[in-house]
Amino acid sequence: MVHLDDFIDPLGEDGDDEGPDVAADFAALKASLKALADAIASTNLAVINAAQGDPGAATQRVQASVGALKRFHEAMKILEAGTEDDSEGEEA
């Protein structure tokens, strides 16, 4: 297994503390991937529950899937904000 900590440099490219927040990007990436996996799993379980004739359980799984997709969207906002900051820094 690869540990992302090996790739995190707490200092910027010039050796100062003003570098990009790579640790926050990795945390947001991890959160987004976990939320996406949760959404997929919940959706699959909702289909299984519906096929088994259990509409109550299927409804709960759909709600869990929607919640996971909201978490995914929030994590992606953090990642996208990081790319906007990078592109602004390159133009200057």
Side-chain angles (χ1 to χ4, degrees):
M1 181 164 67
V2 175
H3 293 281
L4 295 178
D5 296 337
D6 297 338
F7 298 98
I8 298 174
D9 183 12
L11 302 177
E13 293 175 4
D14 299 330
D16 59 357
D17 282 333
E18 300 295 322
D21 195 358
V22 178
D25 287 346
F26 276 130
L29 180 61
K30 180 180 174 184
S32 68
L33 291 175
K34 184 177 180 336
L36 189 58
D38 289 346
I40 292 169
S42 293
T43 302
N44 289 340
L45 289 172
V47 170
I48 290 170
N49 290 138
Q52 292 175 342
D54 190 356
T59 301
Q60 289 177 344
R61 294 298 179 177
V62 169
Q63 290 171 345
S65 180
V66 169
L69 288 173
K70 287 180 182 178
R71 291 192 334 259
F72 173 76
H73 182 67
E74 291 299 318
M76 286 304 295
K77 282 183 183 178
I78 294 170
L79 291 174
E80 289 171 354
T83 23
E84 290 172 3
D85 293 342
D86 291 345
S87 63
E88 289 174 5
E90 292 173 0
E91 293 174 3

